[in-house]
Amino acid sequence: MPLNFERNIFINCPFDEDYRGLLMGIAFTIIYFGYEPRLTLENVDSAEARINKILKLVSESKFGIHDISRMVSANKGEYYRINMPFELGIDFGCKKLKGGKWAKKKILILEKEKFGYQKAISDLSGFDIKYHENEVMQVVFAVRDWIIVEELKNGDSGKKVWDSFNEFHAYLHDVVIEKEGHESVDEIQISEIIHHMKDWFKYKSN
């Protein structure tokens, strides 16, 4: 993948099925505005340690989106899930300590509900954290607003992005089920769906 620090957005989020819709909304919104979503899922080389993949992506990306909504354990007796806040710390440390172009890094922190993070990471008090309540439309609006405010200054409305996302869903269904013969869109890997998103935007621009 060609490197473009100024356009890369590192996505740090859960990769489970429950989060899949939110991740698709985040990735779509990033591509909609001409940026490149970067995830550890893009490289499946088992010989490379996950932490090295994360460090590489953080170093290559001016932007970082970090969803820390899954820190809470699902069942009694389970440990907190701290991968996401750990990766947020790496990105924040890169911004504050590495200097050079990395000092320009911009970070969006997402949570499910207001102030939920304070039970686990009180150091984040004072940050402008956005909340999505596990709703894909809300995360699309949050990412759109962040990109506009931090970089573009103006652009298509959240509603227009959301309508396009739903239009893409219909296209995706036609491609993967009717043309490619898959039984369900849900069996398609996220990295493959991102390629379909890019193809859809090319199709729409013609």
Side-chain angles (χ1 to χ4, degrees), residues 53-70:
K53 295 178 185 178
I54 293 166
L55 292 172
K56 183 172 183 288
L57 291 173
V58 166
S59 181
E60 292 174 352
S61 304
K62 178 180 177 180
F63 306 93
I65 296 176
H66 301 264
D67 192 318
I68 58 173
S69 61
R70 299 298 180 82

Side-chain angles (χ1 to χ4, degrees), residues 172-185:
L172 183 64
H173 182 277
D174 290 344
V175 168
V176 303
I177 294 180
E178 297 183 12
K179 293 183 180 179
E180 296 181 354
H182 296 283
E183 293 186 3
S184 170
V185 171

Side-chain angles (χ1 to χ4, degrees), residues 68-73 80-82 85 111-126 129 131:
I68 58 173
S69 61
R70 299 298 180 82
M71 290 188 293
V72 179
S73 55
Y80 281 142
R81 297 172 63 178
I82 60 173
E111 241 288 23
K112 176 185 175 183
E113 56 192 22
K114 197 170 184 179
F115 304 129
Y117 67 91
Q118 289 188 347
K119 300 171 185 176
I121 310 180
S122 59
D123 285 348
L124 291 179
S125 298
I129 296 175
Y131 310 95

Side-chain angles (χ1 to χ4, degrees), residues 14-73:
F15 295 136
D16 55 49
E17 287 302 312
D18 289 340
Y19 197 86
R20 183 181 173 93
L22 293 169
L23 175 52
M24 288 177 62
I26 293 170
F28 182 88
T29 307
I30 288 171
I31 297 170
Y32 186 100
F33 288 105
Y35 291 82
E36 181 72 37
R38 303 296 307 275
L39 305 93
T40 56
L41 295 177
E42 72 190 38
N43 180 359
V44 294
D45 182 3
S46 299
E48 184 177 5
R50 176 178 168 81
I51 187 63
N52 291 333
K53 295 178 185 178
I54 293 166
L55 292 172
K56 183 172 183 288
L57 291 173
V58 166
S59 181
E60 292 174 352
S61 304
K62 178 180 177 180
F63 306 93
I65 296 176
H66 301 264
D67 192 318
I68 58 173
S69 61
R70 299 298 180 82
M71 290 188 293
V72 179
S73 55

Side-chain angles (χ1 to χ4, degrees), residues 85-138:
F86 175 67
E87 293 172 30
L88 168 59
I90 292 173
D91 205 2
F92 189 74
C94 184
K95 171 182 173 66
K96 291 297 183 180
L97 302 176
K98 194 167 183 178
K101 65 180 181 180
W102 294 278
K104 300 188 301 178
K105 271 180 162 289
K106 297 181 180 181
I107 294 173
L108 171 64
I109 304 175
L110 298 171
E111 241 288 23
K112 176 185 175 183
E113 56 192 22
K114 197 170 184 179
F115 304 129
Y117 67 91
Q118 289 188 347
K119 300 171 185 176
I121 310 180
S122 59
D123 285 348
L124 291 179
S125 298
F127 280 76
D128 186 19
I129 296 175
K130 303 302 181 184
Y131 310 95
H132 53 65
E133 298 179 348
N134 284 339
E135 295 292 336
V136 179
M137 184 173 71
Q138 287 188 216

Side-chain angles (χ1 to χ4, degrees), residues 120-193:
I121 310 180
S122 59
D123 285 348
L124 291 179
S125 298
F127 280 76
D128 186 19
I129 296 175
K130 303 302 181 184
Y131 310 95
H132 53 65
E133 298 179 348
N134 284 339
E135 295 292 336
V136 179
M137 184 173 71
Q138 287 188 216
V139 86
V140 166
F141 275 58
V143 173
R144 177 266 173 200
D145 290 350
W146 175 66
I147 291 174
I148 296 299
V149 169
E150 293 294 337
E151 283 289 301
L152 301 181
K153 308 310 176 190
N154 58 70
D156 289 346
S157 68
K159 183 181 184 303
K160 189 169 183 179
V161 179
W162 176 244
D163 289 344
S164 295
F165 179 67
N166 285 298
E167 187 179 345
F168 164 74
H169 254 292
Y171 162 88
L172 183 64
H173 182 277
D174 290 344
V175 168
V176 303
I177 294 180
E178 297 183 12
K179 293 183 180 179
E180 296 181 354
H182 296 283
E183 293 186 3
S184 170
V185 171
D186 293 338
E187 71 182 53
I188 307 301
Q189 298 295 313
I190 288 294
S191 57
E192 187 176 350
I193 287 178

